[in-house]
Amino acid sequence: MKRTELNKIRKSLSADNLGQIVFSNFLNNYDRQIVINKMMNEAVGDTELRHALENTFEFNTADYSNGIGGCPEYDNLEYDDIAEGYNTTLVIDLVNFTARSLHSKNDIDKLKELAILKKKFINSCAVAVGMFNGHIHDITGDGIMAFFNVGERHEQINEAMLAAIFMIYAVKEILNPSLKDENPSHRDIQVRVGVDTGSVIWTKMGSIKHLNSCEVKAVGFSVDSAAKLSSGNSWELKIGEDLYNQGKEKFKELTSKYDDYKRTIDGLEIIYKRYYFDWEKYVRSHDNNIGEVIKSRLPLLGYGETVFSQAAMTLKSIDKLSKPNNHEKIFG
């Protein structure tokens, strides 16, 4: 399933239909076929959309042609290559799944049910991320880490934020009610999301003796920050200071201070601010029309103050590669 096909689906269908596609693997075969027939009938006359839908429902998956992991735009790096770049990272995490695992740890049948549920959720995340030009970089325990590095930096941020809003909304308002209809005792699936952006270094990591097992990784504070931001309470969307600074005033009005991340390094205290983003208020500003929200283009984002400080590191592609000098002092 290609990103271009997922993009076509996103731009052509309603939010409710998108939710049904993303979560179609939660349905039984009969209900899933009803959804397929409905979608295909609505796509009559649009050959490109029908083809995209056929591929989506045939494989019910995102762009796995490059596999999960790494990053398609940088996977051709050699082991010693280092590429400077810019990336927006999204981490979506399931809430209380550790407690569910603890409750089921001595019951293999319950563990199997939990594994199937998590498997369906991870796959749904992959489909949703693909619709917003993202790539699943890693399956992180109870969630996923996705990279958005296609296009200009404000476009990457916009796609990542819209993907985050859509997934939180879709789990809360589309998936859980449908599961509740099937099983009144269903325990709601709950999620939380962290997003941050910044300059990164792309390089291959792994065993130099087994190059086929190596994987491209992004090294940068924004990657680690997004993972930390994904902790917290259900339904929260949290962002870092560098993403916050990219926003226009209307964007900043939708945020509230979370906390300061403080570390002292070599006697110097470094403070990094973190924020909640009020995604529900943003949806309400579009008259509660999630379809309008996820089709919006750069509604609130501009070029923030962090751009200038990071410009020296940022490249749009991997045209320039440097071989690390073994005698070069990297740290300290």
Side-chain angles (χ1 to χ4, degrees):
M1 187 63 190
K2 298 178 180 178
R3 289 183 185 178
T4 52
E5 292 178 328
L6 288 169
N7 255 317
K8 173 68 176 177
I9 290 171
R10 166 189 163 192
K11 293 175 181 178
S12 302
L13 301 180
S14 69
D16 185 60
N17 283 347
L18 291 179
Q20 290 185 36
I21 289 176
V22 167
F23 300 124
S24 63
N25 55 353
F26 282 89
L27 301 173
N28 58 49
N29 290 334
Y30 176 78
D31 289 338
R32 188 166 180 270
Q33 192 58 52
I34 291 176
V35 171
I36 293 173
N37 293 340
K38 177 176 177 287
M39 301 284 181
M40 295 302 289
N41 288 337
E42 290 181 1
V44 169
D46 190 333
T47 305
E48 188 179 353
L49 177 58
R50 284 180 65 88
H51 180 71
L53 286 169
E54 286 168 358
N55 285 343
T56 300
F57 283 117
E58 181 179 354
F59 301 110
N60 193 30
T61 183
D63 184 7
Y64 289 144
S65 58
N66 293 299
I68 280 183
C71 187
E73 288 73 27
Y74 294 89
D75 283 340
N76 63 338
L77 293 179
E78 298 297 331
Y79 186 82
D80 288 334
D81 290 340
I82 287 180
E84 299 173 351
Y86 194 89
N87 181 61
T88 299
T89 304
L90 176 154
V91 177
I92 182 168
D93 189 50
L94 286 162
V95 181
N96 289 331
F97 252 65
T98 302
R100 294 193 191 204
S101 298
L102 176 63
H103 181 70
S104 308
K105 72 184 181 73
N106 296 319
D107 189 327
I108 292 299
D109 288 335
K110 285 186 177 180
L111 278 177
K112 286 179 180 178
E113 291 176 6
L114 200 62
I116 291 170
L117 180 63
K118 186 183 291 190
K119 199 172 180 179
K120 289 178 177 180
F121 175 77
I122 296 298
N123 188 68
S124 297
C125 286
V127 176
V129 164
M131 288 177 178
F132 293 88
N133 293 307
H135 174 76
I136 301 295
H137 176 68
D138 200 8
I139 298 173
T140 57
D142 292 338
I144 58 101
M145 174 179 283
F147 287 165
F148 297 77
N149 66 301
V150 177
E152 300 290 340
R153 67 183 64 187
H154 59 294
E155 294 175 313
Q156 299 171 19
I157 297 168
N158 188 72
E159 295 289 84
M161 289 296 288
L162 293 180
I165 292 169
F166 174 64
M167 276 307 294
I168 298 174
Y169 178 93
V171 171
K172 190 175 186 180
E173 305 294 340
I174 298 176
L175 176 60
N176 280 328
S178 68
L179 293 177
K180 207 87 167 180
D181 286 342
E182 290 183 11
N183 179 10
S185 62
H186 160 72
R187 292 176 60 194
D188 281 354
I189 295 173
Q190 300 174 45
V191 296
R192 55 201 173 192
V193 183
V195 185
D196 211 349
T197 191
S199 297
V200 297
I201 294 295
W202 300 94
T203 190
K204 256 182 181 162
M205 296 187 182
S207 171
I208 194 169
K209 294 182 179 180
H210 303 282
L211 293 179
N212 289 337
S213 68
C214 293
E215 182 178 275
V216 165
K217 292 290 185 180
V219 180
F221 175 74
S222 58
V223 180
D224 301 329
S225 172
K228 289 186 178 295
L229 286 163
S230 68
S231 64
N233 298 321
S234 303
W235 316 122
E236 288 178 347
L237 170 51
K238 292 189 284 192
I239 62 174
E241 179 180 352
D242 286 343
L243 195 156
Y244 171 86
N245 286 336
Q246 303 284 340
K248 298 176 183 177
E249 285 307 310
K250 287 185 178 180
F251 179 85
K252 294 179 179 180
E253 288 170 4
L254 290 165
T255 65
S256 57
K257 185 76 174 296
Y258 164 41
D259 71 356
D260 288 337
Y261 181 76
K262 299 180 181 180
R263 289 294 183 271
T264 301
I265 303 174
D266 294 334
L268 176 66
E269 184 179 59
I270 299 175
I271 299 175
Y272 188 74
K273 298 180 177 64
R274 303 189 290 190
Y275 302 84
Y276 296 107
F277 181 79
D278 192 340
W279 64 271
E280 291 178 298
K281 185 175 181 180
Y282 184 51
V283 172
R284 288 197 299 272
S285 73
H286 286 75
D287 297 324
N288 290 317
N289 188 335
I290 188 65
E292 291 299 316
V293 171
I294 62 178
K295 288 181 172 62
S296 59
R297 295 291 299 174
L298 315 180
L300 302 169
L301 297 169
Y303 289 95
E305 58 199 64
T306 58
V307 170
F308 304 105
S309 62
Q310 294 169 343
M313 282 190 66
T314 302
L315 299 176
K316 294 181 181 177
S317 65
I318 57 171
D319 291 338
K320 295 182 180 179
L321 300 177
S322 61
K323 303 286 184 180
N325 185 335
N326 291 333
H327 302 291
E328 184 181 355
K329 190 176 181 181
I330 305 297
F331 298 105

